[in-house]
């Protein structure tokens, strides 16, 4: 009997609260809700994070003066592929046709961007190209179109809104232009992404420094840009640049050691994602061991050398030319208890080196191995 009036009161509350907002605030709230709904196929739904969990807002415990290059930052590789299941691929064949490898070759994650943020991930690897219609910009992984109606702008709004609620946190966004999607690359596309990155809104939410990475204090509540594409058509007068530029010209494809000069620093990266040195038929245990060796050799160097350089190590890989092929999931998680994947092997390796500088480590299927994010951060 009592619960009915209480329920009615609870339901009435939002309307009462809404009436205290100005028309402008109501309009802004509604517009944001609409944008977040449009962004959901890439962003997911923000369920919030449990502040008693140590990876929620973990950066609040680090001093402002900490240099970003001295930190250990867990990231996700091909972050936007989390919902690219076979059902998703099948639902998009009217855009892509049926001449595509299976979805499992493209899917590298199973947690949305919001879930990843709430679980402590602070670096995102996103790849843009035109959406169907060659008008709006959206997200792809190679031939895989990920969400035809979600735009780059929608997803940036999602990050901005999350950062407003987590002002102690700093988030790095790496953006590639994705080739091989069958969509055109032209001046209109480059002008569009340039306009997004230089708008007054972007100036508020992206760290505006160019050519170097600063301190955590400077990056809190903001996005830091890792630009992994070059402008090929944009006029030279459009010259505002932010973040650091990791040119695809210098990012040698599928290489264990890549050195990129982005300023006074020489940034070493390890992005060896397909173990093409191995004979066909080597099997997943051998592929995982090769990848583990290459990755840990690189991270080991991050613990030893060049403390003021940015180290990026990709723990992610696949080997689709092997017979049978290794999917990103097999490399990350292995196959049952007898063959551990990269993530299970990295966990104790990182834990044994707790307190050392690892730099950025980009992961696939990070949440399937509990404690991995903490081990990267060094918590
Ligand atoms: C994930 O994909 C399925 C189809 O495969 C779709 O029904 C669902 O809405 C997608 N999730 C989001 C958050 O977009
Ligand atoms: C988009 O570009 C592709 C590749 O150039 C072309 O085949 C397609 O017709 C274009 N679509 C539209 C709607 O212009
Ligand atoms: C990986 O490194 C270990 C330790 O150095 C070595 O024993 C092993 O042969 C290497 N395996 C591969 C596949 O490279
Ligand atoms: C590690 O550093 C040493 C010394 O600079 C260098 O010779 C080696 O190539 C580096 N290895 C990796 C995997 O980065
Ligand atoms: C994983 O292991 C199971 C059982 O040992 C086997 O049937 C399956 O083929 C393996 N998967 C791959 C991708 O090799």
């Amino acid at each position: 009997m009592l619960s009915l009036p209480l329920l009615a009161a609870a339901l009435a509350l939002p309307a009462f609260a809404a009436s205290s907002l100005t028309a402008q605030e109501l309009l802004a709230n509604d517009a944001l809700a609409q944008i977040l709904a449009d962004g959901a196929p890439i962003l997911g739904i923000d369920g919030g994070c449990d502040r008693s969990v140590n990876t929620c807002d973990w950066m609040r415990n680090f001093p402002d003066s900490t240099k970003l290059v001295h930190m250990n930052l867990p990231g996700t590789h091909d972050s936007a592929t989390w919902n690219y299941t076979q059902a998703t691929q099948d639902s998009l064949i009217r855009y892509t046709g049926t001449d595509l490898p299976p979805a499992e070759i493209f899917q590298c994650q199973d947690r949305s961007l919001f879930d990843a943020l709430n679980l402590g991930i602070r670096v995102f690897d996103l790849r843009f190209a035109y959406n169907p219609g060659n008008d709006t910009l959206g997200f792809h992984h190679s031939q895989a179109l990920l969400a035809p109606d979600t735009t780059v702008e929608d997803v940036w709004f999602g990050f901005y809104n999350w950062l407003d609620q987590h002002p102690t946190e700093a988030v790095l966004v790496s953006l590639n232009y994705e080739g091989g999607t069958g969509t055109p690359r032209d001046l209109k596309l480059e002008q569009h992404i340039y306009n997004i990155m230089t708008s007054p809104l972007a100036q508020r939410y992206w760290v505006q420094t160019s050519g170097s990475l600063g301190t955590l204090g400077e990056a809190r509540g903001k996005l830091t840009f890792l630009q992994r594409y070059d402008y090929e058509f944009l006029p030279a007068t459009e010259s505002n640049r932010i973040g650091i530029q990791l040119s695809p010209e210098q990012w040698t494809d599928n290489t264990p050691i890549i050195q990129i000069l982005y300023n006074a620093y020489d940034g070493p990266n390890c992005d060896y994602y397909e173990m093409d040195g191995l004979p066909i038929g080597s099997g997943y245990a051998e592929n995982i061991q090769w990848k583990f060796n290459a990755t840990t050799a690189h991270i080991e160097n991050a613990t030893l050398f060049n403390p003021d350089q940015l180290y990026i190590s990709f723990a992610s890989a696949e080997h689709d030319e092997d017979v049978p092929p290794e999917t990103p999931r097999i490399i990350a998680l292995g196959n049952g208890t007898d063959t551990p994947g990269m993530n299970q092997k990295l966990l104790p390796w990182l834990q044994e080196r707790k307190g050392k500088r690892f730099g950025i480590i980009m992961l696939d299927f990070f949440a399937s191995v509990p404690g991995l994010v903490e081990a990267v951060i060094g918590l």
Side-chain angles (χ1 to χ4, degrees), residues 285-302:
E286 188 75 359
N287 273 270
I288 292 165
Q289 188 61 45
W290 264 53
K291 174 64 189 178
F292 182 73
N293 281 13
T295 307
T296 51
H298 194 257
I299 304 174
E300 186 82 56
N301 274 10

Side-chain angles (χ1 to χ4, degrees), residues 37-45 82-91 112 146-147 150:
D38 292 343
I42 300 294
L43 290 165
I45 308 290
W82 63 277
N83 200 32
Y84 197 73
T85 59
Q86 198 55 50
T88 297
Q89 184 181 85
D90 293 347
S91 73
S112 71
L146 301 176
T150 298

Side-chain angles (χ1 to χ4, degrees), residues 256-257 259 268 294 297-299 301 305-306 311:
I257 309 167
Q259 303 262 352
H298 194 257
I299 304 174
N301 274 10
F305 305 129
N306 312 315
Y311 273 75

Side-chain angles (χ1 to χ4, degrees), residues 196-269:
I196 291 173
M197 296 310 302
T198 54
S199 71
L201 189 65
Q203 289 174 35
R204 162 65 185 76
Y205 281 103
W206 292 83
V207 174
Q208 293 295 298
T209 316
S210 175
S212 65
L213 295 176
T215 63
L216 177 59
E218 290 158 0
R220 284 193 210 276
K222 296 196 167 167
L223 298 170
T224 295
F225 196 37
L226 310 182
Q227 185 185 324
R228 282 191 57 192
Y229 60 89
D230 292 329
Y231 287 110
E232 294 172 5
F233 300 97
L234 200 68
T237 46
E238 304 282 48
S239 59
N240 293 342
R241 296 289 182 275
I242 58 169
I244 60 172
Q245 191 150 4
L246 303 172
S247 169
E249 299 278 315
Q250 295 174 67
W251 191 291
T252 325
D253 193 47
N254 197 26
T255 309
I257 309 167
I258 311 170
Q259 303 262 352
I260 298 182
L261 189 74
Y262 61 86
N263 188 21
Y265 304 136
D266 212 3
N269 310 296

Side-chain angles (χ1 to χ4, degrees), residues 49-85:
C49 74
D50 176 352
R51 286 182 204 261
S52 68
V53 172
N54 63 355
T55 53
C56 173
D57 291 353
W58 61 267
M59 288 174 159
R60 71 186 157 188
N61 298 321
F62 286 75
D64 277 353
S65 59
T66 313
K67 284 185 178 175
L68 289 178
V69 291
H70 293 175
M71 296 184 75
N72 296 342
L73 302 172
T76 49
H77 155 259
D78 260 304
S79 315
T81 59
W82 63 277
N83 200 32
Y84 197 73
T85 59

